[in-house]
Amino acid sequence: MIYLDNAATTKPSESSSNEMARVMTSNWANPSSVHALGYRAEKEVEHCKTKFAECIKCSSDRIVFTSCATESINTVLKGFWKVYPRSGRHMITSVTEHKATLETCHYLEKNGIEVTYLPVDGNGNISIVELVKALRKDTSIFSFTHVNSETGTVLNIDELFAFRDKQCPEVKIHLDCVQSFGKLPVDIVKSGVDYFSVSSHKIHGPKGIGLIYFGANSKIFPLIHGGGQQKALRSGTVDVSAISGFCAATVEAFSKIDQSLTLATSLKQSLLTELEKRNIKFVCNSPSDASPFIVNLSFPGAKSEVLIRVLGESEIYVSASSACSTKKKKLSYVLSAMNIRDEYVQSAIRISFCRNNTLEEIATFCEKISDALKILHV
Ligand code: PLP
């Protein structure tokens, strides 16, 4: 099996799975219980928070655990207007955000918030010129994705923070760091971010757990009310084993961040070189300075879903750019927003790497895609 769909999810690492099993079997009490077992579970969570804080380079009270990045994004963007009731009712995001942001924004628009969706250029980048045009006196928050999950386009955060700090220091910034956390060696807290959202299952941790970072001058309003856990910012008994698995995955990802990035860079390079060597007709939709973990390629003349099926027969797993909602196939709104021709959008596949992939796997992938294209007479 060759798994090249790591932007969708990753295989839980051994250290992450072992940590989860250890906590599930030997530290399974409710951390809110006042007896000794509860105290031990609470200590486990506190220990994990310290580890997260070391990786993120923040204080441990700046972290709230959630069930996933979708919940993190919903919490930040829906709660913002409640926790800052006197702030202007306008926000800015972009057309290529993940659905977790876009659908939350659509909800907000039905509830009195005005949202401007910035366009992107052919590389998937937003521009400061467009941001200046969109900025209003009542703009209160920007929400952008650090690394786009379909193309790997990297947001120029230095430029964004410099702009905010100079032109509108009162505007808060939320970043969706799902595809960059533990992958790109960036000190996101130092950059001046107010909030960011991440997810465990994208970095070899378990599913069902994510977190929100919120800066010292930023507040969170809870999406979920109840027993007051996590200082009432996110009620519900915390999943200690999931937190431990997520923590182990994070520590491992951060300790291997440079070597994983180097590997992904050589995998991407080898993929493009090998496809060219084989005279395969393809278009790379990811910009050259994209995160090397995500490569979006079109094979004109082939349909992405057919390619995925044929590759799947050889146990090679990639995904389509085009999201399929229910039974209706829709073209990728991300690629379309980049003004990529429909023919290319229809034939796009996303290949996404992790630190477990090898150059041999890429060679096999290229051989199999070459065979697939021959079968399809492309
Ligand atoms: N944001 C981005 C960029 C993603 O890639 C994903 C997952 O695909 C999400 C948000 C949602 O993450 P989760 O699955 O943890 O809700």
Side-chain angles (χ1 to χ4, degrees):
M1 178 189 77
I2 299 178
Y3 185 75
L4 297 171
D5 196 16
N6 291 283
T9 198
T10 49
K11 183 182 174 190
S13 71
E14 214 177 296
S15 69
S16 172
S17 312
N18 288 345
E19 268 301 276
M20 287 187 78
R22 178 186 65 77
V23 171
M24 252 192 268
T25 49
S26 66
N27 204 358
W28 41 263
N30 188 328
S32 300
S33 294
V34 290
H35 47 64
L37 286 187
Y39 182 71
R40 262 187 59 214
E42 189 191 1
K43 283 278 144 217
E44 188 87 52
V45 175
E46 287 310 316
H47 170 73
C48 290
K49 278 188 121 177
T50 311
K51 294 277 172 203
F52 276 109
E54 276 169 24
C55 292
I56 297 172
K57 299 203 179 90
C58 68
S59 145
S60 60
D61 58 359
R62 302 287 98 208
I63 293 165
V64 177
F65 295 111
T66 60
S67 64
C68 57
T70 300
E71 185 192 324
S72 301
I73 294 166
N74 270 263
T75 303
V76 173
L77 297 182
K78 288 180 182 165
F80 183 82
W81 317 97
K82 292 205 169 83
V83 83
Y84 296 110
R86 281 192 292 278
S87 66
R89 313 311 261 180
H90 176 244
M91 66 171 283
I92 302 176
T93 185
S94 86
V95 290
T96 54
E97 297 303 302
H98 188 271
K99 287 284 180 187
T101 297
L102 290 179
E103 291 304 319
T104 302
C105 288
H106 294 156
Y107 164 86
L108 290 171
E109 283 183 291
K110 290 190 194 116
N111 288 275
I113 306 301
E114 287 185 66
V115 184
T116 301
Y117 301 87
L118 296 185
V120 295
D121 63 19
N123 286 326
N125 293 310
I126 56 160
S127 84
I128 294 294
V129 175
E130 293 294 336
L131 190 56
V132 171
K133 276 200 243 161
L135 188 67
R136 305 185 343 194
K137 278 206 174 67
D138 61 346
T139 306
S140 298
I141 184 165
F142 299 157
S143 186
F144 296 116
T145 299
H146 190 193
V147 169
N148 185 276
S149 60
E150 284 193 33
T151 59
T153 298
V154 183
L155 177 74
N156 186 338
I157 54 170
D158 291 342
E159 190 184 45
L160 178 71
F161 285 106
F163 171 80
R164 188 274 305 266
D165 294 349
K166 199 158 169 239
Q167 304 297 332
C168 49
E170 65 295 343
V171 172
K172 300 271 187 198
I173 297 185
H174 165 252
L175 293 181
D176 171 344
C177 291
V178 170
Q179 301 290 350
S180 61
F181 184 70
K183 295 181 181 179
L184 300 188
V186 178
D187 188 344
I188 206 93
V189 168
K190 202 171 160 201
S191 67
V193 74
D194 299 293
Y195 304 95
F196 70 74
S197 298
V198 298
S199 184
S200 155
H201 71 102
K202 310 287 185 178
I203 54 160
H204 304 283
K207 290 168 187 59
I209 183 89
L211 65 76
I212 305 169
Y213 159 86
F214 62 111
N217 299 316
S218 302
K219 296 184 207 158
I220 284 188
F221 188 87
L223 192 67
I224 296 176
H225 298 88
Q229 291 89 347
Q230 301 201 66
K231 298 192 178 132
L233 293 176
R234 203 281 190 177
S235 283
T237 303
V238 292
D239 185 338
V240 187
S241 71
I243 290 172
S244 304
F246 182 18
C247 178
T250 301
V251 170
E252 201 176 4
F254 274 77
S255 71
K256 296 179 175 169
I257 205 159
D258 292 328
Q259 84 196 63
S260 304
L261 186 63
T262 306
L263 173 68
T265 306
S266 68
L267 295 172
K268 178 178 177 179
Q269 192 50 55
S270 142
L271 170 67
L272 300 179
T273 313
E274 184 68 25
L275 289 175
E276 268 164 24
K277 252 205 255 165
R278 287 175 174 273
N279 282 325
I280 293 173
K281 211 173 132 217
F282 73 97
V283 177
C284 183
N285 302 313
S286 298
S288 55
D289 59 354
S291 161
F293 289 95
I294 299 174
V295 191
N296 194 300
L297 300 177
S298 291
F299 296 91
K303 287 264 180 284
S304 27
E305 61 274 20
V306 177
L307 274 180
I308 288 167
R309 193 167 39 75
V310 176
L311 288 169
E313 282 162 12
S314 302
E315 294 194 345
I316 295 177
Y317 302 111
V318 296
S319 68
S321 270
S322 50
C324 298
S325 68
T326 58
K327 289 201 176 81
K328 210 170 137 219
K329 291 192 189 84
K330 285 190 194 160
L331 289 183
S332 159
Y333 63 91
V334 172
L335 297 184
S336 299
M338 289 162 68
N339 235 342
I340 290 172
R341 281 158 52 179
D342 278 2
E343 185 203 353
Y344 293 170
V345 179
Q346 281 159 4
S347 65
I349 60 172
R350 177 186 68 181
I351 297 133
S352 49
F353 307 124
C354 75
R355 61 175 184 258
N356 300 331
N357 291 123
T358 62
L359 288 167
E360 291 72 36
E361 287 180 328
I362 300 308
T364 310
F365 169 82
C366 292
E367 186 190 318
K368 296 291 178 192
I369 196 131
S370 167
D371 294 347
L373 293 169
K374 276 182 205 139
I375 295 168
L376 301 172
H377 303 292
V378 174

